[in-house]
Amino acid sequence: MRQAPLIYLIAGEASGDRLGAALMDGLLQLDPDTRFAGVGGPLMAARGLDALFAMDELSIMGLVEVLPRLRSLFARRDEVAADIIVRQPAALVTIDSPGFTLRVAAAARKGSAAPFIHYVAPSVWAWKPGRAEKMARSINHVLALLPFEPPYMQAAGMSCDFVGHPIAAEPRATAGEIAALRAQLGIAPDARILTLLPGSRGSEVARLAPVFAATAKILAEKHPGLVPLVPAARPSLVAPLQAAFAGTNTIILPPLADFDAFEAQKRTVFAASSAALAASGTVSLELAAANVPMVIGYQMNALTGWLMRQMALVDTVTLVNLLSDSRAVPEFLFSACKPENLVPALDALLENPAAAAAQRAAGAVAMREIGAGGEAPGLRAARSVMAQIRP
């Protein structure tokens, strides 16, 4: 009698929980009897994950926060590795969070002959290419979110499939949702919104919010009726954002507690925006999905910034630029991230329809490149995982 395959999954953050849940949906679509064990969040649990412990224990960011937890994290690593060896799953899928998941894979490697698969390729195309070779010591196969990543993984000795980025499959805000948001915030239907996104970490907000606030104040004075809006990424950031943007007539929108509702609110804010100023990262793809022209700005510690510039392998950090093979999105990094540079770049998007249209065209190319309009990334990832399982 055929035994249903057991897939062991490990996710350590909310984004990984979403990736894992979509993958599980795809695996169940291909084989409804598939069983799951490992570590994940509520979305993965709702799909039948037999969890060893709560994912929340792994959601720690920052060196200072991690240090007191090292002993318990090492213990959890060993516990998960031992569980993998005992269960002998058909495949192990580690989902992002490389600081923990790849250490588990390394610890379990000698005790399991199953394919070890990592979901989300490290950005070795941007910096630290040696990470791929190190990962190849324990990982057999990689599920890549970006189409240009497989050759880097293959060169390091792993097989790799491009499965698409989850942003490509996310729903779009409706006209009704946009109208409801404007009514909720008291924003006129014809008022232009400038969305400001100074990051999701306290350190990012501390550096970027004052610069973004000064930029917003200048632009609001130049463009009467322009509404600056900041959707806070976390509840703990609301107070620092209110302090940084005091006196600028900027709306600070607190996040919703429910994750799905928060994501829907964010998509609606983006869709309602005429332009955006954002920290670098995946947010550029989210803005492109909402058809919003943008400027990217980022600051960090001067020494860290210098080291990053020395190690960088590409001349842009913006994914829309990389995916569209253009430099349509202006970016101002490190010492260049200041109002005197940001204001003219945003002015061009607000005053020049051709500049905004060029960005939207580049964004549309980026969306096609990450899989928009094709098979759902979770199902593509599931097909790739199933292909790795030995009969």
Side-chain angles (χ1 to χ4, degrees), residues 76-277:
R76 285 304 197 188
R77 174 202 63 190
D78 295 340
E79 181 183 359
V80 178
D83 195 46
I84 293 167
I85 293 170
V86 169
R87 289 180 180 266
Q88 291 295 308
L92 166 68
V93 182
T94 52
I95 305 171
D96 210 3
S97 302
F100 182 81
T101 61
L102 294 181
R103 285 181 169 85
V104 170
R109 180 71 278 180
K110 291 183 180 180
S112 173
F116 280 20
I117 301 164
H118 191 66
Y119 199 172
V120 182
S123 53
V124 298
W125 42 268
W127 70 300
K128 290 182 69 175
R131 287 178 291 166
E133 285 77 11
K134 184 177 180 181
M135 192 169 86
R137 298 171 193 166
S138 53
I139 297 297
N140 309 108
H141 184 67
V142 181
L143 307 175
L145 304 187
L146 303 175
F148 51 76
E149 292 176 323
Y152 293 94
M153 303 299 103
Q154 292 158 357
M158 298 170 285
S159 58
C160 182
D161 288 332
F162 164 61
V163 298
H165 200 291
I167 289 174
E170 288 182 353
R172 304 294 179 250
T174 67
E177 289 170 331
I178 294 171
L181 177 78
R182 284 179 174 271
Q184 172 197 339
L185 299 177
I187 301 174
D190 59 346
R192 293 192 294 178
I193 295 174
L194 172 66
T195 292
L196 303 144
L197 303 157
S200 60
R201 300 182 177 95
S203 58
E204 290 176 327
V205 168
R207 292 182 184 279
L208 292 175
V211 178
F212 284 21
T215 302
K217 185 174 183 179
I218 295 170
L219 286 167
E221 291 170 351
K222 293 185 67 174
H223 299 273
L226 183 69
V227 179
L229 172 61
V230 181
R234 290 187 287 134
S236 61
L237 297 178
V238 172
L241 287 168
Q242 289 173 334
F245 284 87
T248 65
N249 294 320
T250 298
I251 297 173
I252 308 298
L253 184 61
L256 298 175
D258 178 78
F259 187 80
D260 287 333
F262 166 70
E263 289 293 308
Q265 181 188 68
K266 183 171 65 171
R267 288 193 296 268
T268 304
V269 169
F270 290 178
S273 303
S274 295
L277 172 59

Side-chain angles (χ1 to χ4, degrees), residues 274-358:
S274 295
L277 172 59
S280 63
T282 307
V283 70
S284 72
L285 293 180
E286 295 178 287
L287 290 166
N291 215 24
V292 183
M294 72 198 84
V295 171
I296 298 298
Y298 202 77
Q299 287 186 356
M300 58 176 59
N301 175 275
L303 177 58
T304 304
W306 182 84
L307 290 171
M308 291 286 289
R309 284 194 293 271
Q310 306 311 305
M311 294 188 292
L313 304 177
V314 291
D315 66 347
T316 177
V317 300
T318 304
L319 288 173
V320 171
N321 287 343
L322 290 164
L323 288 161
S324 64
D325 194 22
S326 74
R327 298 300 178 263
V329 178
E331 56 184 33
F332 300 94
L333 310 179
F334 313 124
S335 60
C337 182
K338 49 191 175 183
E340 49 263 48
N341 293 329
L342 299 173
V343 168
L346 287 161
D347 249 340
L349 298 179
L350 292 169
E351 295 181 349
N352 185 351

